[in-house]
PDB file of all heavy atoms in Angstrom:
ATOM      1  N   SER A   1     220.763  35.106  55.376  1.00 97.00           N
ATOM      2  CA  SER A   1     220.390  36.071  56.400  1.00 97.00           C
ATOM      3  C   SER A   1     220.418  35.379  57.756  1.00 97.00           C
ATOM      4  O   SER A   1     220.455  34.141  57.824  1.00 97.00           O
ATOM      5  CB  SER A   1     219.013  36.665  56.124  1.00 97.00           C
ATOM      6  OG  SER A   1     218.021  35.658  56.139  1.00 97.00           O
ATOM      7  N   GLY A   2     220.396  36.179  58.809  1.00 98.00           N
ATOM      8  CA  GLY A   2     220.294  35.619  60.143  1.00 98.00           C
ATOM      9  C   GLY A   2     221.560  35.616  60.970  1.00 98.00           C
ATOM     10  O   GLY A   2     221.536  35.241  62.144  1.00 98.00           O
ATOM     11  N   GLY A   3     222.672  36.023  60.380  1.00 97.00           N
ATOM     12  CA  GLY A   3     223.904  36.068  61.143  1.00 97.00           C
ATOM     13  C   GLY A   3     223.878  37.185  62.172  1.00 97.00           C
ATOM     14  O   GLY A   3     222.982  38.025  62.185  1.00 97.00           O
ATOM     15  N   GLY A   4     224.862  37.179  63.044  1.00 97.00           N
ATOM     16  CA  GLY A   4     224.945  38.218  64.058  1.00 97.00           C
ATOM     17  C   GLY A   4     225.885  37.844  65.169  1.00 97.00           C
ATOM     18  O   GLY A   4     226.652  36.878  65.065  1.00 97.00           O
ATOM     19  N   LEU A   5     225.807  38.611  66.245  1.00 98.00           N
ATOM     20  CA  LEU A   5     226.649  38.394  67.419  1.00 98.00           C
ATOM     21  C   LEU A   5     225.833  37.693  68.496  1.00 98.00           C
ATOM     22  O   LEU A   5     224.716  38.122  68.826  1.00 98.00           O
ATOM     23  CB  LEU A   5     227.165  39.737  67.937  1.00 98.00           C
ATOM     24  CG  LEU A   5     227.945  39.728  69.252  1.00 98.00           C
ATOM     25  CD1 LEU A   5     229.223  38.926  69.093  1.00 98.00           C
ATOM     26  CD2 LEU A   5     228.238  41.156  69.691  1.00 98.00           C
ATOM     27  N   VAL A   6     226.398  36.627  69.046  1.00 98.00           N
ATOM     28  CA  VAL A   6     225.703  35.868  70.085  1.00 98.00           C
ATOM     29  C   VAL A   6     226.724  35.394  71.109  1.00 98.00           C
ATOM     30  O   VAL A   6     227.899  35.170  70.773  1.00 98.00           O
ATOM     31  CB  VAL A   6     224.934  34.677  69.461  1.00 98.00           C
ATOM     32  CG1 VAL A   6     225.893  33.692  68.808  1.00 98.00           C
ATOM     33  CG2 VAL A   6     224.044  33.994  70.482  1.00 98.00           C
ATOM     34  N   GLN A   7     226.286  35.246  72.336  1.00 98.00           N
ATOM     35  CA  GLN A   7     227.180  34.732  73.370  1.00 98.00           C
ATOM     36  C   GLN A   7     227.299  33.221  73.272  1.00 98.00           C
ATOM     37  O   GLN A   7     226.392  32.539  72.768  1.00 98.00           O
ATOM     38  CB  GLN A   7     226.655  35.116  74.746  1.00 98.00           C
ATOM     39  CG  GLN A   7     226.783  36.591  75.070  1.00 98.00           C
ATOM     40  CD  GLN A   7     226.436  36.896  76.508  1.00 98.00           C
ATOM     41  OE1 GLN A   7     225.661  36.192  77.146  1.00 98.00           O
ATOM     42  NE2 GLN A   7     227.022  37.961  77.049  1.00 98.00           N
ATOM     43  N   ALA A   8     228.409  32.719  73.757  1.00 98.00           N
ATOM     44  CA  ALA A   8     228.606  31.277  73.785  1.00 98.00           C
ATOM     45  C   ALA A   8     227.442  30.609  74.519  1.00 98.00           C
ATOM     46  O   ALA A   8     226.979  31.105  75.549  1.00 98.00           O
ATOM     47  CB  ALA A   8     229.924  30.940  74.467  1.00 98.00           C
ATOM     48  N   GLY A   9     226.983  29.497  73.948  1.00 98.00           N
ATOM     49  CA  GLY A   9     225.835  28.800  74.499  1.00 98.00           C
ATOM     50  C   GLY A   9     224.514  29.234  73.901  1.00 98.00           C
ATOM     51  O   GLY A   9     223.484  28.583  74.117  1.00 98.00           O
ATOM     52  N   GLY A  10     224.537  30.313  73.145  1.00 98.00           N
ATOM     53  CA  GLY A  10     223.327  30.826  72.536  1.00 98.00           C
ATOM     54  C   GLY A  10     222.973  30.137  71.231  1.00 98.00           C
ATOM     55  O   GLY A  10     223.621  29.161  70.824  1.00 98.00           O
ATOM     56  N   SER A  11     221.950  30.665  70.580  1.00 98.00           N
ATOM     57  CA  SER A  11     221.436  30.060  69.344  1.00 98.00           C
ATOM     58  C   SER A  11     221.233  31.119  68.272  1.00 98.00           C
ATOM     59  O   SER A  11     221.000  32.298  68.577  1.00 98.00           O
ATOM     60  CB  SER A  11     220.098  29.371  69.617  1.00 98.00           C
ATOM     61  OG  SER A  11     220.235  28.335  70.562  1.00 98.00           O
ATOM     62  N   LEU A  12     221.339  30.671  67.037  1.00 98.00           N
ATOM     63  CA  LEU A  12     221.014  31.500  65.874  1.00 98.00           C
ATOM     64  C   LEU A  12     220.385  30.602  64.823  1.00 98.00           C
ATOM     65  O   LEU A  12     220.685  29.401  64.763  1.00 98.00           O
ATOM     66  CB  LEU A  12     222.269  32.153  65.285  1.00 98.00           C
ATOM     67  CG  LEU A  12     222.828  33.425  65.913  1.00 98.00           C
ATOM     68  CD1 LEU A  12     224.109  33.823  65.215  1.00 98.00           C
ATOM     69  CD2 LEU A  12     221.813  34.555  65.882  1.00 98.00           C
ATOM     70  N   ARG A  13     219.564  31.221  63.997  1.00 98.00           N
ATOM     71  CA  ARG A  13     218.990  30.498  62.866  1.00 98.00           C
ATOM     72  C   ARG A  13     219.350  31.242  61.593  1.00 98.00           C
ATOM     73  O   ARG A  13     218.965  32.399  61.415  1.00 98.00           O
ATOM     74  CB  ARG A  13     217.478  30.381  62.991  1.00 98.00           C
ATOM     75  CG  ARG A  13     216.815  29.596  61.861  1.00 98.00           C
ATOM     76  CD  ARG A  13     215.311  29.520  62.067  1.00 98.00           C
ATOM     77  NE  ARG A  13     214.637  28.824  60.990  1.00 98.00           N
ATOM     78  CZ  ARG A  13     214.441  27.518  60.963  1.00 98.00           C
ATOM     79  NH1 ARG A  13     214.876  26.765  61.957  1.00 98.00           N
ATOM     80  NH2 ARG A  13     213.811  26.946  59.936  1.00 98.00           N
ATOM     81  N   LEU A  14     220.090  30.577  60.728  1.00 98.00           N
ATOM     82  CA  LEU A  14     220.436  31.137  59.431  1.00 98.00           C
ATOM     83  C   LEU A  14     219.426  30.685  58.391  1.00 98.00           C
ATOM     84  O   LEU A  14     218.972  29.536  58.420  1.00 98.00           O
ATOM     85  CB  LEU A  14     221.834  30.699  59.004  1.00 98.00           C
ATOM     86  CG  LEU A  14     222.978  30.997  59.969  1.00 98.00           C
ATOM     87  CD1 LEU A  14     224.300  30.566  59.343  1.00 98.00           C
ATOM     88  CD2 LEU A  14     223.011  32.447  60.359  1.00 98.00           C
ATOM     89  N   SER A  15     219.113  31.581  57.486  1.00 98.00           N
ATOM     90  CA  SER A  15     218.215  31.243  56.387  1.00 98.00           C
ATOM     91  C   SER A  15     218.878  31.598  55.067  1.00 98.00           C
ATOM     92  O   SER A  15     219.710  32.501  54.997  1.00 98.00           O
ATOM     93  CB  SER A  15     216.896  32.004  56.516  1.00 98.00           C
ATOM     94  OG  SER A  15     216.190  31.598  57.660  1.00 98.00           O
ATOM     95  N   CYS A  16     218.483  30.892  54.042  1.00 98.00           N
ATOM     96  CA  CYS A  16     219.003  31.144  52.701  1.00 98.00           C
ATOM     97  C   CYS A  16     217.831  31.074  51.737  1.00 98.00           C
ATOM     98  O   CYS A  16     217.156  30.038  51.647  1.00 98.00           O
ATOM     99  CB  CYS A  16     220.067  30.117  52.338  1.00 98.00           C
ATOM    100  SG  CYS A  16     220.716  30.264  50.657  1.00 98.00           S
ATOM    101  N   ALA A  17     217.599  32.169  51.055  1.00 97.00           N
ATOM    102  CA  ALA A  17     216.513  32.231  50.077  1.00 97.00           C
ATOM    103  C   ALA A  17     217.096  32.082  48.679  1.00 97.00           C
ATOM    104  O   ALA A  17     218.081  32.741  48.333  1.00 97.00           O
ATOM    105  CB  ALA A  17     215.777  33.552  50.206  1.00 97.00           C
ATOM    106  N   ALA A  18     216.462  31.232  47.889  1.00 95.00           N
ATOM    107  CA  ALA A  18     216.954  30.970  46.539  1.00 95.00           C
ATOM    108  C   ALA A  18     215.971  31.478  45.504  1.00 95.00           C
ATOM    109  O   ALA A  18     214.759  31.374  45.674  1.00 95.00           O
ATOM    110  CB  ALA A  18     217.165  29.474  46.346  1.00 95.00           C
ATOM    111  N   SER A  19     216.517  32.029  44.451  1.00 93.00           N
ATOM    112  CA  SER A  19     215.692  32.413  43.305  1.00 93.00           C
ATOM    113  C   SER A  19     216.143  31.604  42.106  1.00 93.00           C
ATOM    114  O   SER A  19     217.282  31.199  42.013  1.00 93.00           O
ATOM    115  CB  SER A  19     215.825  33.903  43.020  1.00 93.00           C
ATOM    116  OG  SER A  19     217.168  34.231  42.714  1.00 93.00           O
ATOM    117  N   GLY A  20     215.242  31.383  41.187  1.00 83.00           N
ATOM    118  CA  GLY A  20     215.566  30.583  40.029  1.00 83.00           C
ATOM    119  C   GLY A  20     214.679  29.365  39.966  1.00 83.00           C
ATOM    120  O   GLY A  20     213.955  29.048  40.910  1.00 83.00           O
ATOM    121  N   ARG A  21     214.781  28.660  38.887  1.00 80.00           N
ATOM    122  CA  ARG A  21     213.917  27.511  38.668  1.00 80.00           C
ATOM    123  C   ARG A  21     214.494  26.231  39.252  1.00 80.00           C
ATOM    124  O   ARG A  21     215.672  26.136  39.508  1.00 80.00           O
ATOM    125  CB  ARG A  21     213.683  27.320  37.170  1.00 80.00           C
ATOM    126  CG  ARG A  21     212.970  28.468  36.504  1.00 80.00           C
ATOM    127  CD  ARG A  21     212.750  28.183  35.035  1.00 80.00           C
ATOM    128  NE  ARG A  21     211.977  29.244  34.388  1.00 80.00           N
ATOM    129  CZ  ARG A  21     211.653  29.245  33.103  1.00 80.00           C
ATOM    130  NH1 ARG A  21     212.025  28.233  32.332  1.00 80.00           N
ATOM    131  NH2 ARG A  21     210.957  30.230  32.593  1.00 80.00           N
ATOM    132  N   SER A  22     213.623  25.285  39.411  1.00 88.00           N
ATOM    133  CA  SER A  22     214.031  23.918  39.732  1.00 88.00           C
ATOM    134  C   SER A  22     214.819  23.807  41.034  1.00 88.00           C
ATOM    135  O   SER A  22     215.774  23.033  41.128  1.00 88.00           O
ATOM    136  CB  SER A  22     214.865  23.325  38.583  1.00 88.00           C
ATOM    137  OG  SER A  22     214.161  23.380  37.366  1.00 88.00           O
ATOM    138  N   PHE A  23     214.420  24.559  42.007  1.00 90.00           N
ATOM    139  CA  PHE A  23     215.108  24.534  43.304  1.00 90.00           C
ATOM    140  C   PHE A  23     215.191  23.118  43.846  1.00 90.00           C
ATOM    141  O   PHE A  23     216.202  22.709  44.424  1.00 90.00           O
ATOM    142  CB  PHE A  23     214.359  25.440  44.275  1.00 90.00           C
ATOM    143  CG  PHE A  23     214.934  25.474  45.655  1.00 90.00           C
ATOM    144  CD1 PHE A  23     216.074  26.201  45.936  1.00 90.00           C
ATOM    145  CD2 PHE A  23     214.328  24.771  46.698  1.00 90.00           C
ATOM    146  CE1 PHE A  23     216.606  26.253  47.211  1.00 90.00           C
ATOM    147  CE2 PHE A  23     214.846  24.815  47.978  1.00 90.00           C
ATOM    148  CZ  PHE A  23     215.989  25.558  48.236  1.00 90.00           C
ATOM    149  N   SER A  24     214.154  22.337  43.643  1.00 91.00           N
ATOM    150  CA  SER A  24     214.116  20.993  44.209  1.00 91.00           C
ATOM    151  C   SER A  24     215.073  20.029  43.515  1.00 91.00           C
ATOM    152  O   SER A  24     215.247  18.909  43.965  1.00 91.00           O
ATOM    153  CB  SER A  24     212.698  20.430  44.182  1.00 91.00           C
ATOM    154  OG  SER A  24     212.226  20.356  42.851  1.00 91.00           O
ATOM    155  N   ASN A  25     215.686  20.452  42.415  1.00 92.00           N
ATOM    156  CA  ASN A  25     216.675  19.613  41.745  1.00 92.00           C
ATOM    157  C   ASN A  25     218.081  19.784  42.302  1.00 92.00           C
ATOM    158  O   ASN A  25     219.017  19.135  41.831  1.00 92.00           O
ATOM    159  CB  ASN A  25     216.706  19.924  40.245  1.00 92.00           C
ATOM    160  CG  ASN A  25     215.506  19.340  39.527  1.00 92.00           C
ATOM    161  OD1 ASN A  25     215.116  18.208  39.781  1.00 92.00           O
ATOM    162  ND2 ASN A  25     214.913  20.115  38.641  1.00 92.00           N
ATOM    163  N   TYR A  26     218.206  20.646  43.286  1.00 95.00           N
ATOM    164  CA  TYR A  26     219.513  20.961  43.832  1.00 95.00           C
ATOM    165  C   TYR A  26     219.675  20.390  45.235  1.00 95.00           C
ATOM    166  O   TYR A  26     218.777  20.484  46.070  1.00 95.00           O
ATOM    167  CB  TYR A  26     219.735  22.468  43.893  1.00 95.00           C
ATOM    168  CG  TYR A  26     219.913  23.120  42.548  1.00 95.00           C
ATOM    169  CD1 TYR A  26     218.810  23.484  41.788  1.00 95.00           C
ATOM    170  CD2 TYR A  26     221.183  23.360  42.047  1.00 95.00           C
ATOM    171  CE1 TYR A  26     218.965  24.075  40.544  1.00 95.00           C
ATOM    172  CE2 TYR A  26     221.361  23.964  40.810  1.00 95.00           C
ATOM    173  CZ  TYR A  26     220.250  24.314  40.064  1.00 95.00           C
ATOM    174  OH  TYR A  26     220.427  24.901  38.838  1.00 95.00           O
ATOM    175  N   ALA A  27     220.847  19.826  45.472  1.00 96.00           N
ATOM    176  CA  ALA A  27     221.251  19.541  46.844  1.00 96.00           C
ATOM    177  C   ALA A  27     221.833  20.838  47.405  1.00 96.00           C
ATOM    178  O   ALA A  27     222.398  21.647  46.664  1.00 96.00           O
ATOM    179  CB  ALA A  27     222.287  18.434  46.882  1.00 96.00           C
ATOM    180  N   LEU A  28     221.698  21.012  48.699  1.00 97.00           N
ATOM    181  CA  LEU A  28     222.103  22.270  49.325  1.00 97.00           C
ATOM    182  C   LEU A  28     223.068  22.015  50.469  1.00 97.00           C
ATOM    183  O   LEU A  28     223.078  20.917  51.056  1.00 97.00           O
ATOM    184  CB  LEU A  28     220.865  23.000  49.850  1.00 97.00           C
ATOM    185  CG  LEU A  28     219.791  23.306  48.817  1.00 97.00           C
ATOM    186  CD1 LEU A  28     218.531  23.783  49.503  1.00 97.00           C
ATOM    187  CD2 LEU A  28     220.276  24.333  47.816  1.00 97.00           C
ATOM    188  N   GLY A  29     223.826  23.042  50.787  1.00 97.00           N
ATOM    189  CA  GLY A  29     224.754  22.890  51.888  1.00 97.00           C
ATOM    190  C   GLY A  29     225.089  24.223  52.525  1.00 97.00           C
ATOM    191  O   GLY A  29     224.875  25.281  51.935  1.00 97.00           O
ATOM    192  N   TRP A  30     225.566  24.131  53.739  1.00 98.00           N
ATOM    193  CA  TRP A  30     226.123  25.271  54.453  1.00 98.00           C
ATOM    194  C   TRP A  30     227.610  25.017  54.670  1.00 98.00           C
ATOM    195  O   TRP A  30     228.003  23.924  55.103  1.00 98.00           O
ATOM    196  CB  TRP A  30     225.434  25.468  55.799  1.00 98.00           C
ATOM    197  CG  TRP A  30     224.050  26.026  55.703  1.00 98.00           C
ATOM    198  CD1 TRP A  30     222.883  25.324  55.692  1.00 98.00           C
ATOM    199  CD2 TRP A  30     223.687  27.414  55.625  1.00 98.00           C
ATOM    200  NE1 TRP A  30     221.820  26.189  55.581  1.00 98.00           N
ATOM    201  CE2 TRP A  30     222.271  27.472  55.550  1.00 98.00           C
ATOM    202  CE3 TRP A  30     224.408  28.612  55.602  1.00 98.00           C
ATOM    203  CZ2 TRP A  30     221.577  28.675  55.453  1.00 98.00           C
ATOM    204  CZ3 TRP A  30     223.721  29.802  55.504  1.00 98.00           C
ATOM    205  CH2 TRP A  30     222.326  29.836  55.432  1.00 98.00           C
ATOM    206  N   PHE A  31     228.395  26.018  54.381  1.00 98.00           N
ATOM    207  CA  PHE A  31     229.837  25.976  54.595  1.00 98.00           C
ATOM    208  C   PHE A  31     230.214  27.206  55.413  1.00 98.00           C
ATOM    209  O   PHE A  31     229.444  28.167  55.501  1.00 98.00           O
ATOM    210  CB  PHE A  31     230.579  25.993  53.254  1.00 98.00           C
ATOM    211  CG  PHE A  31     230.310  24.777  52.404  1.00 98.00           C
ATOM    212  CD1 PHE A  31     229.121  24.639  51.707  1.00 98.00           C
ATOM    213  CD2 PHE A  31     231.255  23.759  52.311  1.00 98.00           C
ATOM    214  CE1 PHE A  31     228.869  23.507  50.932  1.00 98.00           C
ATOM    215  CE2 PHE A  31     231.022  22.634  51.532  1.00 98.00           C
ATOM    216  CZ  PHE A  31     229.822  22.511  50.843  1.00 98.00           C
ATOM    217  N   ARG A  32     231.396  27.175  55.992  1.00 98.00           N
ATOM    218  CA  ARG A  32     231.836  28.339  56.742  1.00 98.00           C
ATOM    219  C   ARG A  32     233.325  28.560  56.546  1.00 98.00           C
ATOM    220  O   ARG A  32     234.081  27.623  56.238  1.00 98.00           O
ATOM    221  CB  ARG A  32     231.506  28.197  58.228  1.00 98.00           C
ATOM    222  CG  ARG A  32     232.277  27.107  58.955  1.00 98.00           C
ATOM    223  CD  ARG A  32     231.757  26.955  60.384  1.00 98.00           C
ATOM    224  NE  ARG A  32     232.483  25.935  61.139  1.00 98.00           N
ATOM    225  CZ  ARG A  32     232.123  25.519  62.347  1.00 98.00           C
ATOM    226  NH1 ARG A  32     231.050  26.035  62.957  1.00 98.00           N
ATOM    227  NH2 ARG A  32     232.841  24.590  62.959  1.00 98.00           N
ATOM    228  N   GLN A  33     233.713  29.804  56.735  1.00 98.00           N
ATOM    229  CA  GLN A  33     235.122  30.149  56.608  1.00 98.00           C
ATOM    230  C   GLN A  33     235.491  31.142  57.697  1.00 98.00           C
ATOM    231  O   GLN A  33     234.950  32.250  57.754  1.00 98.00           O
ATOM    232  CB  GLN A  33     235.414  30.740  55.229  1.00 98.00           C
ATOM    233  CG  GLN A  33     236.888  30.941  54.957  1.00 98.00           C
ATOM    234  CD  GLN A  33     237.183  31.176  53.490  1.00 98.00           C
ATOM    235  OE1 GLN A  33     236.289  31.463  52.697  1.00 98.00           O
ATOM    236  NE2 GLN A  33     238.448  31.043  53.113  1.00 98.00           N
ATOM    237  N   ALA A  34     236.390  30.725  58.549  1.00 96.00           N
ATOM    238  CA  ALA A  34     236.900  31.580  59.604  1.00 96.00           C
ATOM    239  C   ALA A  34     238.126  32.329  59.081  1.00 96.00           C
ATOM    240  O   ALA A  34     238.776  31.887  58.125  1.00 96.00           O
ATOM    241  CB  ALA A  34     237.271  30.747  60.825  1.00 96.00           C
ATOM    242  N   PRO A  35     238.471  33.464  59.694  1.00 91.00           N
ATOM    243  CA  PRO A  35     239.631  34.229  59.228  1.00 91.00           C
ATOM    244  C   PRO A  35     240.902  33.390  59.205  1.00 91.00           C
ATOM    245  O   PRO A  35     241.221  32.699  60.176  1.00 91.00           O
ATOM    246  CB  PRO A  35     239.730  35.355  60.266  1.00 91.00           C
ATOM    247  CG  PRO A  35     238.345  35.513  60.780  1.00 91.00           C
ATOM    248  CD  PRO A  35     237.764  34.129  60.788  1.00 91.00           C
ATOM    249  N   GLY A  36     241.586  33.419  58.065  1.00 94.00           N
ATOM    250  CA  GLY A  36     242.835  32.693  57.941  1.00 94.00           C
ATOM    251  C   GLY A  36     242.701  31.206  57.736  1.00 94.00           C
ATOM    252  O   GLY A  36     243.704  30.489  57.713  1.00 94.00           O
ATOM    253  N   LYS A  37     241.472  30.737  57.577  1.00 96.00           N
ATOM    254  CA  LYS A  37     241.252  29.301  57.397  1.00 96.00           C
ATOM    255  C   LYS A  37     240.547  29.029  56.086  1.00 96.00           C
ATOM    256  O   LYS A  37     239.955  29.911  55.474  1.00 96.00           O
ATOM    257  CB  LYS A  37     240.436  28.745  58.564  1.00 96.00           C
ATOM    258  CG  LYS A  37     241.146  28.836  59.898  1.00 96.00           C
ATOM    259  CD  LYS A  37     240.385  28.091  60.976  1.00 96.00           C
ATOM    260  CE  LYS A  37     241.152  28.117  62.294  1.00 96.00           C
ATOM    261  NZ  LYS A  37     240.420  27.369  63.364  1.00 96.00           N
ATOM    262  N   THR A  38     240.613  27.781  55.655  1.00 95.00           N
ATOM    263  CA  THR A  38     239.930  27.405  54.417  1.00 95.00           C
ATOM    264  C   THR A  38     238.447  27.196  54.681  1.00 95.00           C
ATOM    265  O   THR A  38     238.018  26.974  55.816  1.00 95.00           O
ATOM    266  CB  THR A  38     240.523  26.111  53.845  1.00 95.00           C
ATOM    267  OG1 THR A  38     240.407  25.072  54.837  1.00 95.00           O
ATOM    268  CG2 THR A  38     242.003  26.286  53.490  1.00 95.00           C
ATOM    269  N   ARG A  39     237.674  27.272  53.611  1.00 96.00           N
ATOM    270  CA  ARG A  39     236.244  27.044  53.729  1.00 96.00           C
ATOM    271  C   ARG A  39     236.002  25.576  54.071  1.00 96.00           C
ATOM    272  O   ARG A  39     236.620  24.676  53.496  1.00 96.00           O
ATOM    273  CB  ARG A  39     235.554  27.415  52.420  1.00 96.00           C
ATOM    274  CG  ARG A  39     234.064  27.534  52.516  1.00 96.00           C
ATOM    275  CD  ARG A  39     233.487  28.225  51.283  1.00 96.00           C
ATOM    276  NE  ARG A  39     233.988  29.593  51.148  1.00 96.00           N
ATOM    277  CZ  ARG A  39     233.501  30.476  50.271  1.00 96.00           C
ATOM    278  NH1 ARG A  39     232.522  30.113  49.452  1.00 96.00           N
ATOM    279  NH2 ARG A  39     234.012  31.685  50.206  1.00 96.00           N
ATOM    280  N   GLN A  40     235.085  25.335  54.987  1.00 97.00           N
ATOM    281  CA  GLN A  40     234.819  23.972  55.416  1.00 97.00           C
ATOM    282  C   GLN A  40     233.331  23.653  55.401  1.00 97.00           C
ATOM    283  O   GLN A  40     232.497  24.536  55.585  1.00 97.00           O
ATOM    284  CB  GLN A  40     235.395  23.710  56.817  1.00 97.00           C
ATOM    285  CG  GLN A  40     234.821  24.545  57.900  1.00 97.00           C
ATOM    286  CD  GLN A  40     235.349  24.197  59.284  1.00 97.00           C
ATOM    287  OE1 GLN A  40     234.763  24.537  60.295  1.00 97.00           O
ATOM    288  NE2 GLN A  40     236.472  23.507  59.361  1.00 97.00           N
TER     289      GLN A  40
END
């Protein structure tokens, strides 16, 4: 959650809520994919 439209120079905070057990056993990451590009 937390995505949206912002002007250059602005800020956003993305959040990710997880369900399931043993959350602390997982490493986490954020990736992104722009149109026509691979996920990075």
Side-chain angles (χ1 to χ4, degrees):
S1 62
L5 174 63
V6 63
Q7 289 188 333
S11 299
L12 278 176
R13 182 180 178 88
L14 305 183
S15 295
C16 176
S19 61
R21 297 181 176 179
S22 304
F23 178 77
S24 61
N25 285 317
Y26 290 84
L28 303 169
W30 287 95
F31 296 77
R32 67 186 181 188
Q33 188 165 15
K37 296 188 176 181
T38 58
R39 194 166 298 190
Q40 62 176 198

